[in-house]
Amino acid sequence: MASRASLVFLAFIVSFVVAPAVAFASLTEGTIDGTSKYAWSERIGWINFATPGGNVRVTDSGITGYAWNDSYGWINLNPAGSGVDNDAEGDLSGQAWGENLGYVDFGAVTINASGRFTGTASGTITGTVNFDCSQCT
C-alpha cells in the first residue's frame, strides 16, 4: 500500500515539473478561496462565488454550485442543458443561469495556474462581470 501511495505522490510531483505552464483549476477538485471570492458586475454589483450555501466546486472539466448576488439571488453555475465548462487548461466556456438574471456567458473567463479567475463574463442583465477588478481579490 505504501508503494502505491508513493507512486501517486510521485505522479503528482512529476505533473507539476513536466507541465508547469499549463493553467488549470485543479488536479481533482478545488473550491473558491474565501478571500478572492468576488467578481464585479457593472449593472448588478458584487457577485460572491464562495458563500457558505453556494458550494462552488472547480474541476478540470467544469464549475458547479451557486454564486450569490444580493439583489438578484442565486446564479447556478451548472444548470441543466448548460453550465460552465473548463477545458482542463483553464479556458472556461458555457453559461450559468440566474432565475432573475437569465444566462451569463463565461466564454471570456480563464483560470490561471494559481487558480485565479481572470477575464469577463457577460449577460443581458448583468452586463460585464469583471474578475480582474482591483477589489475582486
Side-chain angles (χ1 to χ4, degrees), residues 13-121:
I13 297 300
V14 167
S15 69
F16 280 106
V17 173
V18 172
V22 175
F24 52 86
S26 67
L27 286 177
T28 55
E29 181 177 324
T31 58
I32 304 297
D33 182 305
T35 304
S36 303
K37 61 185 180 179
Y38 293 104
W40 174 256
S41 165
E42 64 185 4
R43 294 186 187 160
I44 68 169
W46 295 108
I47 300 172
N48 185 341
F49 284 81
T51 62
N55 198 30
V56 174
R57 298 284 183 250
V58 180
T59 68
D60 285 346
S61 62
I63 301 176
T64 60
Y66 295 82
W68 174 258
N69 175 265
D70 287 338
S71 298
Y72 289 87
W74 293 109
I75 303 166
N76 185 348
L77 300 169
N78 192 31
S82 189
V84 180
D85 296 321
N86 183 353
D87 70 356
E89 293 185 9
D91 299 312
L92 300 184
S93 62
Q95 299 177 325
W97 168 260
E99 184 175 327
N100 299 311
L101 291 171
Y103 285 103
V104 180
D105 183 2
F106 277 72
V109 179
T110 60
I111 305 171
N112 69 18
S114 300
R116 182 175 175 167
F117 288 70
T118 61
T120 57

